[in-house]
Amino acid sequence: MPWFAARTPLALSRVEEFVRSNEWSCASVGAQLRQRTPLDMLKRHTHFEYFTLDGQQGPVLAINMENSFGFRYPVLSETAISAGAAMELGGRSPTSGRRSMTVMGREQAVCGVEASVRLTFGREPKYRVEYYLMTRQAGSVVEGRSRVAEQCRFLRADARHTDRLLAMQIAYEEEEVVVDGRRVDPQATRFHLRDDLREQLVYFATHDGRAVAKAGTNARGFTYDQIGGVYTEPALRGHGISTALMQVLLNSITEYKKNAVLFVKKPNKSAIAVYDRLGFETRDSFVISYYQ
């Protein structure tokens, strides 16, 4: 099956062209290509491959981003899915036999990889989390604020705010990220939070001088910024703070002439309602499968 390693600048430029046209579904892949040189990606143990039906120089119909730590992100066109590209990817890729592996992407692509891993290695994901993938075209947000939100201050965060926001980040990861009951490592969380505050657009809300909510980007692609880490203290949920904070973040993203994308867990009806009001549109189902 025609998968080819993208090892040269020319091959990576072909991968980039495909990603740009599909970035609404893979902003974090776009961010890797936009921010990293080929040497950077080699140092980070990240590699790309691409799929064609017409030889190595044929039109790119799918790509796969993968690293040596077992993370995989396939991005497939409908033509590639019909041609069985995902099945081939799961059956022969070096990480497929790893004890620990994570596969994420649009549902059709992930399902194809899962089916191939099942057939070839007899393995099933230990955890499988389903989301809606939602996008919003660039444009300012004008929406009235609730009484409680009017009492808040909304501030741009940077690395100086790491310790001020750390407790909320840990709570967010425990609530939304950890899937196997393990505890969050505060030191690792602090390290990654500090990096995000240096590189990403992150805003937080204060109420009575205390940080109570946060939201930001976690990947900045070519034309899409991916939003993540949206969290409000439980006692203040339902008072419009998250909506107002997202409004501030979206207006900032629009200043960079970027579209916005996020994925939200399917049972999270309250968050979905907020994103609907802010102009997001559900585009597809998104899945993260964890093999252990």
Side-chain angles (χ1 to χ4, degrees):
M1 192 67 75
W3 279 97
F4 301 96
R7 295 194 178 97
T8 67
L10 178 59
L12 283 171
S13 70
R14 300 185 69 217
V15 168
E16 178 182 319
E17 182 180 2
F18 177 83
V19 168
R20 281 177 178 269
S21 64
N22 293 275
E23 197 176 35
W24 65 271
S25 67
C26 59
S28 59
V29 178
Q32 286 289 324
L33 288 166
R34 186 177 75 87
Q35 298 171 355
R36 313 296 180 196
T37 67
L39 181 58
D40 288 334
M41 287 186 281
L42 181 63
K43 289 178 179 178
R44 291 170 178 262
H45 307 280
T46 300
H47 71 270
F48 289 86
E49 51 194 331
Y50 62 95
F51 175 89
T52 84
L53 289 173
D54 193 23
Q56 195 164 355
Q57 301 306 315
V60 175
L61 301 174
I63 66 96
N64 178 53
M65 182 178 76
E66 194 164 324
N67 65 33
S68 59
F69 306 108
F71 173 87
R72 177 185 299 172
Y73 200 136
V75 186
L76 280 65
S77 67
E78 301 304 322
T79 301
I81 291 171
S82 299
M87 289 289 290
E88 164 66 13
L89 187 63
R92 63 97 180 98
S93 185
T95 64
S96 297
R98 288 178 58 100
R99 183 171 179 271
S100 178
M101 179 177 73
T102 301
V103 184
M104 67 186 297
R106 293 172 63 191
E107 186 173 33
Q108 280 186 298
V110 174
C111 284
V113 173
E114 288 174 337
S116 183
V117 172
R118 183 181 306 117
L119 181 65
T120 308
F121 300 99
R123 299 182 62 193
E124 297 285 350
K126 186 172 183 180
Y127 303 99
R128 191 177 195 272
V129 187
E130 297 184 356
Y131 304 83
Y132 289 119
L133 182 64
M134 306 181 76
T135 63
R136 182 184 185 278
Q137 297 302 300
S140 60
V141 183
V142 179
E143 182 169 312
R145 293 181 178 177
S146 67
R147 181 180 60 82
V148 175
E150 287 287 357
Q151 298 170 359
C152 294
R153 294 183 65 204
F154 299 93
L155 306 169
R156 171 76 185 270
D158 58 37
R160 295 171 299 175
H161 299 105
T162 300
D163 291 325
R164 191 174 186 184
L165 301 181
L166 181 58
M168 276 198 295
Q169 182 65 25
I170 291 173
Y172 163 77
E173 292 182 8
E174 290 176 340
E175 187 173 304
E176 293 291 332
V177 179
V178 176
V179 294
D180 57 2
R182 290 182 296 181
R183 296 185 64 83
V184 173
D185 180 347
Q187 289 187 333
T189 296
R190 187 181 188 280
F191 175 83
H192 292 298
L193 175 61
R194 185 181 60 212
D195 274 358
D196 283 346
L197 294 179
R198 288 171 175 160
E199 299 177 3
Q200 303 291 331
L201 289 174
V202 180
Y203 288 84
F204 66 101
T206 64
H207 187 263
D208 292 334
R210 187 169 55 87
V212 297
K214 60 179 282 293
T217 62
N218 56 23
R220 308 204 68 195
F222 297 103
T223 59
Y224 277 86
D225 277 351
Q226 180 172 288
I227 294 172
V230 181
Y231 181 84
T232 303
E233 285 190 353
L236 287 171
R237 292 176 185 174
H239 294 285
I241 296 175
S242 180
T243 300
L245 185 58
M246 281 290 294
Q247 177 181 336
V248 173
L249 174 61
L250 288 169
N251 286 338
S252 181
I253 289 172
T254 294
E255 289 178 4
Y256 288 89
K257 303 187 186 311
K258 296 281 194 74
N259 307 309
V261 60
L262 55 82
F263 41 93
V264 56
K265 289 180 179 177
K266 289 186 174 182
N268 194 346
K269 304 300 183 185
S270 60
I272 293 169
V274 169
Y275 301 143
D276 282 339
R277 288 199 303 272
L278 290 169
F280 281 86
E281 174 189 0
T282 300
R283 296 286 298 274
D284 206 344
S285 291
F286 192 90
V287 172
I288 304 180
S289 285
Y290 300 88
Y291 290 82
Q292 293 182 356

